[in-house]
Amino acid sequence: MQFFLISDNVDTEMGMRLAGIRGVVVHEEQEVKDALAAAAADKDIAVILMTEKLVRLCRETVFDMKLNMKSPLIVEIPDRHATSDISSTISGYVEDAIGLKL
């Protein structure tokens, strides 16, 4: 099982590539959706890493995939600017999934 990165900047992609994680750099909403669909269709990919900017760009698609697909696991990672609080993101996922506010 492999990791796969969907990033909006080459710095993140380069760092992950040095760690042995392949990925793509995309910028437009349709490019993100296409990359997600391709990664989800690849049975060797177990975890998709996405920068927070791209998750915000197509939030509904990512949430739908997280809630309705067993595999792959989609994990939001901070981008180079680290603008979000990851714990609030996780709380938001729980609230969306089960309707319980933490």
Side-chain angles (χ1 to χ4, degrees), residues 39-97:
D42 186 339
K43 298 300 179 195
D44 290 332
I45 296 174
V47 179
I48 299 172
L49 304 172
M50 289 183 68
T51 55
E52 61 187 61
K53 180 179 177 182
L54 295 181
V55 170
R56 282 194 310 268
L57 187 62
C58 58
R59 186 167 298 283
E60 293 80 24
T61 302
V62 173
F63 283 169
D64 182 58
M65 290 178 77
K66 284 184 168 208
L67 293 173
N68 296 311
M69 294 178 61
K70 287 186 175 185
S71 181
L73 176 65
I74 300 174
V75 178
E76 180 178 351
I77 61 172
D79 60 14
R80 61 185 166 179
H81 305 294
T83 58
S84 76
D85 176 19
I86 197 68
S87 63
S88 66
T89 303
I90 294 170
S91 296
Y93 292 149
V94 171
E95 185 175 343
D96 288 344

Side-chain angles (χ1 to χ4, degrees), residues 3-15:
F3 282 77
F4 187 79
L5 172 72
I6 303 174
S7 177
D8 63 313
N9 65 70
V10 294
D11 296 334
T12 303
E13 192 266 339
M14 180 65 72

